[in-house]
Amino acid sequence: RGATQPRTERLMELLGPTFGALPKNEHGSVGTAAACYALNRLFVQEHGWFVNGLQASNGTWSEDAPTNAVGGIVDDRARRLLEGP
C-alpha cells in the first residue's frame, strides 16, 4: 500500500474536479458512461493516450465501453465481472 499511496493521491487529485461534476446515483457512485468519460479525459489530458473503448461512440458515451475496451484481452469470467450482475 505504501508504494501506491502517492500515485493514488495524485489520481484522486486529477479526477476530483471531474468526478465532482459528474451525475451520481443514490450511493454517490457514477455510472459506467460517466466513469469512461472521466478516465478518457484523464488519459488524454495527462498522457495524450486514446484508449480503445473509452472514447464516445457516435457522440455518446456507451454503458458497454469497459467491456468493449478489454474485448479480446480478458477471458469471459473477467468480462462478466466488469459487466456486473
Side-chain angles (χ1 to χ4, degrees):
R1 176 182 173 168
T4 60
Q5 186 73 24
R7 292 179 74 188
T8 302
E9 289 172 3
R10 175 74 175 139
L11 285 173
M12 289 179 69
E13 177 185 324
L14 292 170
L15 287 169
T18 303
F19 182 79
L22 292 172
K24 296 170 188 67
N25 65 17
E26 65 275 4
H27 304 291
S29 300
V30 298
T32 303
C36 287
Y37 168 80
L39 288 174
N40 184 66
R41 182 179 165 114
L42 173 72
F43 291 148
V44 171
Q45 286 182 338
E46 290 296 309
H47 306 289
W49 296 348
F50 291 90
V51 179
N52 288 336
L54 288 183
Q55 295 103 336
S57 174
N58 297 324
T60 61
W61 291 91
S62 170
E63 292 295 320
D64 297 329
T67 53
N68 291 342
V70 296
I73 300 171
V74 298
D75 64 16
D76 288 335
R77 184 173 156 212
R79 190 173 300 109
R80 283 192 302 274
L81 287 172
L82 286 172
E83 291 171 349

